[in-house]
Amino acid sequence: MRRKDDLVIGLDVGTTKVCAIVAEKGDNGDVRIIGMGMSPSNGLRKGVVVNMESTIGSIGRAIEKAEEMSDVEINSVFAGIAGGHIDSFNSRACIPITRSSGEILESDIQKALSAARATYIPIDREVVHAIPQGFLVDGHEVGKDPRGMSGMRLEAKVHIITGAITSAQNIILCINRAGFAVEDIVLEPLASALAVLTEEEKESGVLLIDIGGGTTDYVVFTGGAIRHSNVLSLGGDHLTNDIAIVLKIPMSKAEEIKKEYASAGRENVGESDEIAVRCGVGQPNRIISRKELCDIAHSRMDEIFSLIMREIHKSGYERRISSGVVLTGGASLLPGSVRMAADIFDMPVRMGSPMGVSGLVEVLDNPIFATGVGLSKFGSHWRSSAMESRFKGRHLFSRVLERMSDWFGEKL
Ligand SMILES: Nc1ncnc2c1ncn2[C@@H]1O[C@H](COP(=O)(O)OP(=O)(O)OP(=O)(O)O)[C@@H](O)[C@H]1O
Ligand SMILES: [Mg+2]
């Protein structure tokens, strides 16, 4: 009989689908996916809840299916958060080491991290993550663990991710009203990173882009730590919308032909390739040029990648991304995306599906499940780390506000 403590549920409340991933934690720390439930999502726009009732319904249905498939009862979940309201920046602070030996203790590290985190945050926003990036002792970079070193000044660098309080509250409220507790909330691209990136990529520098339905999230890692993150309010659904408007067909048909015939590349598309689209009972088929369809896909993907490229260039990390780009999320399945990204970023590009876990092949082979799998991996570590005992029993918000997300600092 499975112990409840061994089960971790990742709940990805996305713009197009809600998906619950049921994972089982093995004795040696490995994670095995034993069930999955998915339900279409209609209550979010650009990653933010706009219809509570519809979102609650989708959450309930996804979890019910996951329970049926894995034959377990679900009570609590690790949930993702995203949306255009997410903001992130790097902060640093310096503290003096006053003891005569100059030795740096754990308490100094905590003090320096707290000082770096104690930056101005507008009252309508809350800190979702404050992730340690590294330390400097007397102005010299010393990596992530300065304990035991000696010096006169310890400087901490932290990546801070904030979100609108109301958006975070609404996701949690929907999950609670569907009848489930939230153990923690995690920024979605961080969860995706956990599922699809290797330690080596994070060390040598990588840009992860998760192109979903309503949002495109991206994060940059170098030297094993997160350096830059952002959420764009643009995704695959905008492409569906473009197709519907330009080709004058219903959204549902646009989504269908996008998945079946669209491509971001136009190399293998003949001028005369045509698609017959049945738009309604009794109506004649509409004949659509496949080249026109691919031109629409090309422009939208070009816009998304170019916006990110500009941001990365501004951030100064462009030259430090030695491992290149990893694409994940449903919209990255559009044929030609990898090639197009490689041209725009002028870097190697690969697709990223969940890895480092075993179990259901349908989940492991598909980039749309990257966030859900990452959430369950996060939860699994949370359960086995000191974080759980430290924060257990506290109100979720105060916990999220206070925690320094040590684990992301160490592992991401
Ligand atoms: N084979 C495919 N080709 C092109 N697009 C696809 C394909 N499969 C899925 N998509 C698109 O991927 C998008 C959904 O991706 P995903 O499931 O990652 O989004 P989400 O997590 O629900 O949304 P978000 O992360 O924005 O909240 C939709 O726009 C869908 O049309
Ligand atoms: Mg998503």
Side-chain angles (χ1 to χ4, degrees):
M1 181 74 185
R2 282 187 190 108
R3 288 205 333 248
K4 258 191 190 159
D5 286 0
D6 292 339
L7 293 174
V8 189
I9 288 79
L11 184 71
D12 175 10
V13 185
T15 307
T16 62
K17 50 118 193 10
V18 174
C19 115
I21 302 280
V22 183
E24 194 176 34
K25 210 162 51 112
D27 290 338
N28 46 1
D30 59 322
V31 176
R32 190 178 152 74
I33 310 298
I34 58 165
M36 184 270 286
M38 197 160 56
S39 165
S41 161
N42 298 309
L44 275 82
R45 291 278 170 282
K46 301 177 179 177
V48 171
V49 178
V50 291
N51 183 332
M52 301 261 307
E53 285 317 309
S54 162
T55 306
I56 294 167
S58 303
I59 292 170
R61 284 187 290 279
I63 294 187
E64 199 179 313
K65 285 185 193 164
E67 283 179 322
E68 267 169 32
M69 184 173 191
S70 49
D71 193 24
V72 299
E73 190 192 322
I74 293 174
N75 301 305
S76 60
V77 300
F78 288 84
I81 181 164
H85 63 99
I86 296 288
D87 197 10
S88 75
F89 55 93
N90 292 327
S91 171
R92 51 210 290 170
C94 192
I95 61 153
I97 306 296
T98 48
R99 68 188 65 81
S100 56
S101 68
E103 186 185 347
I104 294 166
L105 306 179
E106 178 61 32
S107 55
D108 298 317
I109 294 175
Q110 291 310 323
K111 224 188 280 173
L113 287 173
S114 300
R117 196 183 55 153
T119 173
Y120 170 73
I121 308 283
I123 51 167
D124 58 343
R125 307 187 68 79
E126 74 171 278
V127 175
V128 183
H129 297 289
I131 306 164
Q133 295 174 314
F135 295 90
L136 288 89
V137 174
D138 295 344
H140 299 290
E141 296 270 358
V142 293
K144 286 186 181 166
D145 189 6
R147 238 169 319 184
M149 294 180 183
S150 76
M152 292 167 71
R153 279 178 294 123
L154 175 66
E155 188 170 352
K157 297 194 292 181
V158 172
H159 185 72
I160 296 181
I161 297 166
T162 68
I165 289 182
T166 46
S167 300
Q169 274 169 339
N170 284 340
I171 288 273
I172 294 169
L173 263 177
C174 287
I175 299 172
N176 290 159
R177 292 212 185 134
F180 307 95
V182 178
E183 291 189 61
D184 207 347
I185 53 172
V186 177
L187 185 73
E188 287 176 10
L190 281 182
S192 306
L194 211 46
V196 305
L197 297 182
T198 65
E199 293 303 315
E200 197 184 345
E201 283 171 332
K202 285 182 258 180
E203 199 53 51
S204 61
V206 65
L207 163 64
L208 172 70
I209 305 177
D210 180 338
I211 321 174
T215 62
T216 295
D217 319 332
Y218 59 95
V219 276
V220 174
F221 292 89
T222 66
I226 179 169
R227 306 289 164 179
H228 186 81
S229 58
N230 202 3
V231 178
L232 293 180
S233 297
L234 268 183
D237 289 355
H238 296 82
L239 170 50
T240 308
N241 203 37
D242 295 343
I243 295 170
I245 290 172
V246 177
L247 302 180
K248 300 185 185 65
I249 55 175
M251 284 288 278
S252 57
K253 285 286 158 195
E255 177 73 11
E256 227 175 272
I257 63 162
K258 175 181 85 170
K259 287 185 179 161
E260 202 163 335
Y261 303 104
S263 161
R266 293 167 285 194
E267 300 78 27
N268 300 321
V269 182
E271 288 290 335
S272 55
D273 281 6
E274 286 177 337
I275 308 156
V277 181
R278 183 188 287 271
C279 289
V281 184
Q283 286 187 22
N285 283 351
R286 293 251 356 250
I287 303 299
I288 282 162
S289 145
R290 179 145 183 255
K291 183 172 175 302
E292 197 178 353
L293 174 69
C294 295
D295 283 346
I296 301 167
H298 182 91
S299 332
R300 188 53 98 172
M301 294 308 270
D302 182 79
E303 181 194 12
I304 293 176
F305 289 137
S306 302
L307 273 172
I308 299 173
M309 180 60 197
R310 222 172 301 151
E311 272 282 315
I312 296 300
H313 184 70
K314 260 200 290 181
S315 75
Y317 287 110
E318 188 185 345
R319 287 177 190 284
R320 295 175 58 191
I321 303 174
S322 316
S323 283
V325 181
V326 177
L327 299 183
T328 192
S332 66
L333 286 167
L334 185 79
S337 310
V338 168
R339 173 115 185 244
M340 185 178 198
D343 287 345
I344 292 179
F345 291 99
D346 194 19
M347 291 179 198
V349 179
R350 73 166 177 92
M351 283 292 292
S353 291
M355 57 188 191
V357 291
S358 58
L360 288 182
V361 175
E362 63 195 279
V363 170
L364 304 182
D365 271 355
N366 196 332
I368 74 168
F369 297 120
T371 308
V373 171
L375 288 168
S376 60
K377 278 181 97 175
F378 173 85
S380 159
H381 184 88
W382 157 274
R383 291 269 183 76
S384 52
S385 74
M387 286 199 292
E388 188 185 20
S389 53
R390 189 154 20 120
F391 294 116
K392 206 165 193 163
R394 287 209 222 157
H395 186 267
L396 177 68
F397 276 119
S398 66
R399 196 167 79 196
V400 168
L401 276 166
E402 282 176 37
R403 84 188 141 99
M404 292 298 290
S405 296
D406 327 61
W407 187 58
F408 278 123
E410 279 164 28
K411 290 277 232 173
L412 280 177

